[in-house]
Amino acid sequence: MAAYISVSALSHEGLVREHNEDSLTVGPWTLCATVTTNPQTLLFPLGPPCVVAVADGLGGHPGGEIASALVARELAAAGPSLEDEEAVRETLQTCNRAVFAAAAGDPGLGAMGTTVAGVVLLPEQAVTFNVGDSRVYRIDGDDLRRVSVDDSPPLPPGRRTTSLVTQTLGGSLGLTFVEPHVRTAPLAAGDRFLVCSDGLTDPVPEEELSGLLAGTDEDDERADGRAAFELWKAAIEAGGPDNITLALVRVGG
């Protein structure tokens, strides 16, 4: 069987927010500031660059859902050209400028902004990236390893989360330069990733996420759909304080 990419994803407003400001990119497909009631699974051939990303519009700022949707669509359009780290960095700079330009063109959008995190899957490599506190994890068996870098201030002892971010796409009144976190690692059949907004990782500790994913490493995209649902349910049972968007990515074949 030819190598393929399976992505099981969902996006939900949670239990507290009035609407969803998260957006999602899966290859050429986007889900922008919209709610899915169950995981959606999409399949792609492993070959042309395939980007899977989550953009989390900044709460407390106007136009968070506009910023996240803009970035999701920019990434989807640029996806086939994302062949290396340099291309990913350039596209994220383009996204940053686009958010500022959209805000400048509408006085009501002020300092709108968004975080972003994702992975570009190439035939033999995975390029992971993020700006802000949305995350990318690599799933190795029962081990969940974070490969993104939170743009957040240092946490005081005993505190696990913070709503503060030190870097976003947009998010201020004047154009600022961003320094995306981008890294490349080898990719092979069986590799898996979790891409998500902090609506999942703030209420659900990493050890619990790891436990929910344990035992789902069989080569079966249906297992990923079930696992995506269980991750979402854990965030809801923890109070669902924020929008929840996640994508489980698997290389099969």
Side-chain angles (χ1 to χ4, degrees), residues 56-162:
D56 179 356
L58 297 184
H61 292 234
E65 69 280 8
I66 297 173
S68 71
L70 190 159
V71 168
R73 291 172 178 139
E74 286 274 355
L75 287 170
S81 68
L82 299 179
E83 297 179 338
D84 53 30
E85 286 190 16
E86 182 180 0
V88 171
R89 293 180 191 276
E90 289 178 356
T91 296
L92 292 174
Q93 298 294 349
T94 298
C95 289
N96 186 48
R97 291 191 295 269
V99 172
F100 277 108
D106 186 339
L109 296 180
M112 76 171 182
T114 182
T115 70
V116 68
V119 57
V120 180
L121 302 164
L122 303 167
E124 297 180 348
Q125 294 179 321
V127 182
T128 56
F129 62 88
N130 79 284
V131 176
D133 59 358
S134 292
R135 292 181 178 175
V136 182
Y137 292 90
R138 195 161 192 142
I139 307 167
D140 295 318
D142 292 345
D143 181 41
L144 189 69
R145 179 167 53 89
R146 193 191 313 175
V147 292
S148 56
V149 179
D150 284 355
D151 286 311
S152 300
L155 294 174
R159 186 165 179 178
R160 190 179 64 81
T161 65
T162 177

Side-chain angles (χ1 to χ4, degrees), residues 133-137 144 146 150 160-161 194-206 209 231 235 243-245:
D133 59 358
S134 292
R135 292 181 178 175
V136 182
Y137 292 90
L144 189 69
R146 193 191 313 175
D150 284 355
R160 190 179 64 81
T161 65
L194 168 63
V195 183
C196 60
S197 64
D198 66 350
L200 175 65
T201 54
D202 277 358
V204 187
E206 288 182 351
L209 295 175
L231 294 173
N243 305 147
I244 307 156
T245 301

Side-chain angles (χ1 to χ4, degrees), residues 10-90:
L10 61 79
S11 188
H12 190 270
E13 76 271 30
L15 298 179
V16 175
R17 306 288 189 185
E18 291 185 359
H19 61 284
N20 192 5
E21 293 186 292
D22 288 357
S23 295
L24 178 69
T25 303
V26 182
W29 180 79
T30 59
L31 184 72
C32 297
T34 308
V35 171
T36 53
T37 56
N38 50 47
Q40 308 294 308
T41 298
L42 299 172
L43 300 177
F44 303 91
L46 179 64
C50 181
V51 59
V52 180
V54 168
D56 179 356
L58 297 184
H61 292 234
E65 69 280 8
I66 297 173
S68 71
L70 190 159
V71 168
R73 291 172 178 139
E74 286 274 355
L75 287 170
S81 68
L82 299 179
E83 297 179 338
D84 53 30
E85 286 190 16
E86 182 180 0
V88 171
R89 293 180 191 276
E90 289 178 356

